[in-house]
Amino acid sequence: MPSAKQRLQHFLALAYQGPAKAAELAAGVADFIDAWPEDAPPDMREAVLTLLDLSLRDADDDTRLHLAAKLGGRRELPLDLVNEFYLSAPAPVRHVILERNDVEGGTHANPVADPEELLFAARDDTSASFTRAFASALHVPLFTAAAILADASGEALAVACRGAHLERAHFSALALLKLCDGSALEAFEAPPQRGCESLTGFWQAQTGRVRTAA
């Protein structure tokens, strides 16, 4: 069986090959983290976590979904790393991530400058153009905005709205106009406010970062 050092060298070789090997790299690094080898020194951890973070930027949705379920609830991983998993994670893992943001998070999110303008865009724009308007209003990357609006449960939208200091009425209007699911209206009250602000602040900090679409 390859040593920890040999496996790390293999991961570096995959990373050098770029997006084409992102899924293989992410899966391999996740397995390494999930069952940390006895011969892997502690100072290897930072390099391995960096490789996982880099691979996630180019990983497809199926890979992110698998890794979110596998690693998203691991409390020993850095908060910024598990935040990457939130939009792909199953509900129990999302709750763990939000709880960690509520306790550990310190990032403050920028509020929506003009909520009424955002609602106007939701009423009049097509889905594609509204996604751009939503991303701009909430100061988040376009791929993050698309993932938030694709979550039919309304949980991600509730986190983003609370984090950006939108009121329940704004959330309800957006949910009815864009999620078309009345059950999503119940999502607003559940997430903790500080956790929402921390996670939304994390998303806002990713603006300008590009992720390959699946």
Side-chain angles (χ1 to χ4, degrees):
M1 182 175 180
S3 67
K5 183 177 180 180
Q6 289 171 327
R7 292 174 69 185
L8 179 59
Q9 290 172 339
H10 175 64
F11 297 150
L12 291 170
L14 291 176
Y16 184 75
Q17 296 178 61
K21 295 294 184 179
E24 183 180 350
L25 174 61
V29 173
D31 287 342
F32 191 97
I33 293 170
D34 191 44
W36 192 260
E38 292 183 1
D39 63 333
D43 60 4
M44 187 181 286
R45 192 171 190 82
E46 183 176 354
V48 172
L49 292 177
T50 298
L51 284 169
L52 179 60
D53 186 38
L54 290 173
S55 68
L56 287 173
R57 301 185 187 190
D58 296 312
D60 59 35
D61 287 345
D62 287 342
T63 299
R64 293 175 71 89
L65 179 65
H66 173 71
L67 296 185
K70 188 182 187 76
L71 298 178
R74 298 287 290 267
R75 294 180 180 272
E76 76 274 16
L77 295 180
L79 181 58
D80 279 357
L81 179 57
V82 298
N83 279 344
E84 291 275 5
F85 293 126
Y86 179 85
L87 291 168
S88 302
V93 175
R94 284 186 171 189
H95 297 162
V96 171
I97 294 172
L98 266 179
E99 177 190 335
R100 287 192 59 186
N101 275 276
D102 193 45
V103 174
E104 303 172 32
T107 305
H108 295 289
N110 293 317
V112 173
D114 191 340
E116 298 308 317
E117 182 178 347
L118 179 61
L119 293 184
F120 180 81
R123 295 186 188 100
D124 292 353
D125 286 4
T126 64
S127 295
S129 60
F130 176 70
T131 300
R132 290 192 292 272
F134 184 80
S136 177
L138 272 80
H139 319 288
V140 300
L142 188 60
F143 67 81
T144 299
I148 291 170
L149 295 172
D151 175 25
S153 74
E155 290 181 1
L157 181 62
V159 169
C161 286
R162 293 191 63 158
H165 299 282
L166 290 172
E167 297 179 0
R168 184 190 177 94
H170 299 131
F171 163 78
S172 297
L174 291 173
L176 289 172
L177 288 166
K178 294 304 175 184
L179 302 184
C180 302
D181 185 350
S183 64
L185 297 176
E186 301 174 5
F188 188 78
E189 300 297 340
Q193 181 62 35
R194 188 168 183 266
C196 292
E197 292 177 9
S198 175
L199 185 53
T200 303
F202 169 81
W203 289 333
Q204 291 178 348
Q206 309 308 302
T207 301
R209 179 171 145 180
V210 176
R211 179 165 74 85
T212 303

